[in-house]
Amino acid sequence: MNDKSVIDVFVVGAKKGWNVGINNIIPNVLMAYVCIQILQITGLLELLGNLFAPVMAVFGLPGQAVMVLISALMSMGGAVGVAHALYTNGILTGIHITILIPAIYLMGSKIQYLGRLLGTVGIQPKYYPLMLGISICNAMISMLIMRMFA
Amino acid sequence: MDKQSEQISKSKKSVPLSGYVVLALALVIFSGVLANAHGWLSAFDFDTLCGKFGTMKDAGKANFAGMGGAGAKDGFLFAFGLLPSVMLAMGLIEVVEHFGGLNAAQKILSPILRPLLGIPGITGIALVSSLQSTDAGAGMTRVLYDNGEINEKEKMIFSAFQFTAGGTITNYLSSGSALFAFLTVPMSTPLVVLFIMKIFGANVMRLYVNKLCKKELGA
């Protein structure tokens, strides 16, 4: 166990971080930025924002924040990218981000995890909706909790 | 899944003192409690260790990504700027793991898993691994079930715990770090909420399997 120095071990981990960054984070964030760009050019972002404004207001968020949650279902990194892009555009504030951040992870990457987690473990597919439901409820509750702290 | 079986059997051995020391250090670094510390103490804070990019021209506004970017190019530079914190976080976690910090966490957790989640202490190492990597956690859970260490009901509860906010620590510290600067609370507050909700979600499943589908899943 002590054949490697702290520095060697750290470098092994940092390399893993590099691979995660190159293979997962950059492609997902890039995709998120392109989606936001398309939504903005076409005016769909504003439309979605207005549509979801009443629902998102419950959590103290503007309607456009729904994009962060939708993209979270596909990828956590992508959702972070969307949140950052919306912050840069002045649509989200620090308070909004604080409310959203646990929800991004609680309902994050669900589509991938159906296979990667539930499939690997061997959960019967008829329980998938229940698992998804719990995750989404968790995310909703977390936003209400964070609203008190933010 | 030989590697997973090996890790599970290894977890039954005792934990060296160094394990508890690195675990405690990691908790301090990632909690952000020393974020506003001065002098040498501030070296034990994740955000301080991450540092910041230098600015260009208009200091205080534009880092190397510049200002007013959009689309794929802006996304690329933003994501590229995330890599240092991801690499730092993964490097630190690797060190914690190497010195037995994760085994220490598992030893501390084991006795409380039955009351907290209704799953046996043996799942401790799989639980701790699942916080690092969704795939590692899933693989080890499968091995535990195949070896008869957990039953069908426990498998459902444990999966519900892992499914919401999978790979919690790694994911939160890697991609989440992009947003830490905007938070109005310490970076550890959302992480605590994540854990509370994971436990809550698992208990919803626990209630469900115990009350509603007794016959179907067996004891």
Side-chain angles (χ1 to χ4, degrees):
Chain A
M1 194 167 158
N2 291 319
D3 50 339
K4 283 195 274 185
S5 75
V6 180
I7 293 166
D8 295 332
V9 178
F10 179 87
V11 169
V12 168
K15 271 186 197 163
K16 286 185 189 171
W18 169 261
N19 288 328
V20 169
I22 297 298
N23 295 319
N24 299 332
I25 298 178
I26 292 186
N28 280 311
V29 169
L30 194 142
M31 184 262 319
Y33 266 72
V34 173
C35 289
I36 286 291
Q37 180 84 335
I38 294 170
L39 288 173
Q40 264 196 326
I41 293 168
T42 53
L44 276 173
L45 187 65
E46 215 187 324
L47 200 73
L48 276 171
N50 292 335
L51 198 64
F52 284 94
V55 186
M56 299 310 285
V58 176
F59 307 107
L61 296 167
Q64 289 95 326
V66 76
M67 278 312 300
V68 177
L69 300 179
I70 294 172
S71 48
L73 283 171
M74 283 163 277
S75 136
M76 296 172 179
V80 168
V82 171
H84 193 272
L86 292 175
Y87 180 87
T88 316
N89 292 340
I91 295 169
L92 294 182
T93 65
I95 292 174
H96 297 148
I97 302 255
T98 309
I99 295 172
L100 278 167
I101 197 167
I104 291 176
Y105 295 95
L106 288 166
M107 62 190 279
S109 304
K110 286 293 95 89
I111 313 289
Q112 295 175 35
Y113 286 173
L114 285 178
R116 277 171 59 193
L117 203 165
L118 301 184
T120 307
V121 174
I123 298 291
Q124 294 173 44
K126 65 172 174 175
Y127 294 114
Y128 286 5
L130 178 64
M131 292 275 183
L132 274 171
I134 291 176
S135 290
I136 291 168
C137 283
N138 274 349
M140 302 297 154
I141 299 170
S142 78
M143 289 194 284
L144 294 174
I145 297 175
M146 289 311 290
R147 200 184 169 177
M148 291 188 283
F149 291 109
Chain B
M1 294 192 179
D2 288 346
K3 199 180 158 222
Q4 277 97 341
S5 321
E6 199 181 289
Q7 271 180 294
I8 292 168
S9 55
K10 213 171 83 182
S11 74
K12 291 173 182 165
K13 291 181 197 153
S14 66
V15 175
L17 180 67
S18 68
Y20 294 97
V21 175
V22 288
L23 178 65
L25 271 176
L27 288 175
V28 169
I29 290 174
F30 289 123
S31 70
V33 286
L34 295 178
N36 298 314
H38 296 287
W40 64 274
L41 269 179
S42 64
F44 294 97
D45 178 60
F46 186 74
D47 253 2
T48 310
L49 290 177
C50 265
K52 58 183 180 199
F53 286 112
T55 52
M56 286 176 175
K57 231 175 174 180
D58 185 2
K61 274 186 183 169
N63 65 15
F64 77 94
M67 279 180 74
K73 289 188 175 180
D74 195 33
F76 178 81
L77 278 188
F78 165 67
F80 194 66
L82 290 180
L83 295 191
S85 40
V86 177
M87 291 169 73
L88 176 60
M90 299 288 273
L92 289 174
I93 291 171
E94 192 78 17
V95 171
V96 171
E97 187 185 13
H98 184 77
F99 289 97
L102 297 183
N103 285 347
Q106 174 248 328
K107 273 276 171 338
I108 296 168
L109 274 174
S110 288
I112 59 167
L113 286 177
R114 179 65 75 183
L116 198 65
L117 298 170
I119 55 177
I122 181 82
T123 55
I125 188 70
L127 189 147
V128 171
S129 301
S130 79
L131 300 177
Q132 259 190 301
S133 151
T134 310
D135 302 299
M140 289 167 89
T141 307
R142 179 71 192 224
V143 170
L144 286 168
Y145 178 72
D146 288 346
N147 292 347
E149 304 268 15
I150 56 172
N151 63 32
E152 188 75 32
K153 278 183 181 180
E154 290 159 350
K155 186 176 84 174
M156 293 274 287
I157 300 169
F158 195 25
S159 299
F161 177 85
Q162 294 175 45
F163 189 57
T164 189
T168 320
I169 306 266
T170 306
N171 282 322
Y172 181 70
L173 292 178
S174 58
S175 56
S177 62
L179 303 175
F180 290 165
F182 312 140
L183 294 183
T184 56
V185 294
M187 64 182 257
S188 53
T189 308
L191 194 56
V192 171
V193 173
L194 285 182
F195 277 106
I196 293 172
M197 294 319 297
K198 274 172 86 80
I199 294 166
F200 172 81
N203 277 290
V204 172
M205 182 57 87
R206 184 184 184 179
L207 208 66
Y208 175 81
V209 295
N210 284 331
K211 299 276 179 243
L212 296 167
C213 53
K214 257 181 194 155
K215 284 174 205 160
E216 219 177 315
L217 293 171

